[in-house]
Amino acid sequence: MDKVTVMRDIDELHDTYCADCLVIKQLRKERGKPGAHRFCIEACSVGEKLQFLGEELLKVYSK
């Protein structure tokens, strides 16, 4: 994967799923921003995909 493709995939995932996520809005009210962020990192399937793409982006930059 090249840098542009990875960045495009990240933007597409975020715009499609994260920008208007009702779960994250509710969790921010209940747990605050750090608690909601923790949910995205640990439990959200989209968060897992974003982490994978982030790792791919790091591979591109380390070459």
Side-chain angles (χ1 to χ4, degrees), residues 29-50:
K29 290 178 186 175
E30 294 173 3
R31 302 180 188 176
K33 191 172 181 178
H37 183 73
R38 179 65 41 203
F39 168 80
C40 292
I41 292 171
E42 294 177 350
C44 181
S45 61
V46 176
E48 291 174 8
K49 292 177 187 175
L50 288 171

Side-chain angles (χ1 to χ4, degrees), residues 1-61:
M1 297 182 112
D2 65 331
K3 178 174 66 170
V4 174
T5 304
V6 174
M7 290 298 293
R8 189 177 300 130
D9 289 348
I10 290 172
D11 287 341
E12 183 179 325
L13 275 175
H14 181 270
D15 292 344
T16 304
Y17 298 106
C18 302
D20 297 323
C21 180
L22 298 175
V23 174
I24 196 75
K25 288 179 183 177
Q26 184 62 33
L27 287 174
R28 279 187 177 174
K29 290 178 186 175
E30 294 173 3
R31 302 180 188 176
K33 191 172 181 178
H37 183 73
R38 179 65 41 203
F39 168 80
C40 292
I41 292 171
E42 294 177 350
C44 181
S45 61
V46 176
E48 291 174 8
K49 292 177 187 175
L50 288 171
Q51 285 183 37
F52 171 77
L53 290 171
E55 290 171 7
E56 292 297 311
L57 193 59
L58 287 174
K59 289 178 188 176
V60 170
Y61 277 112

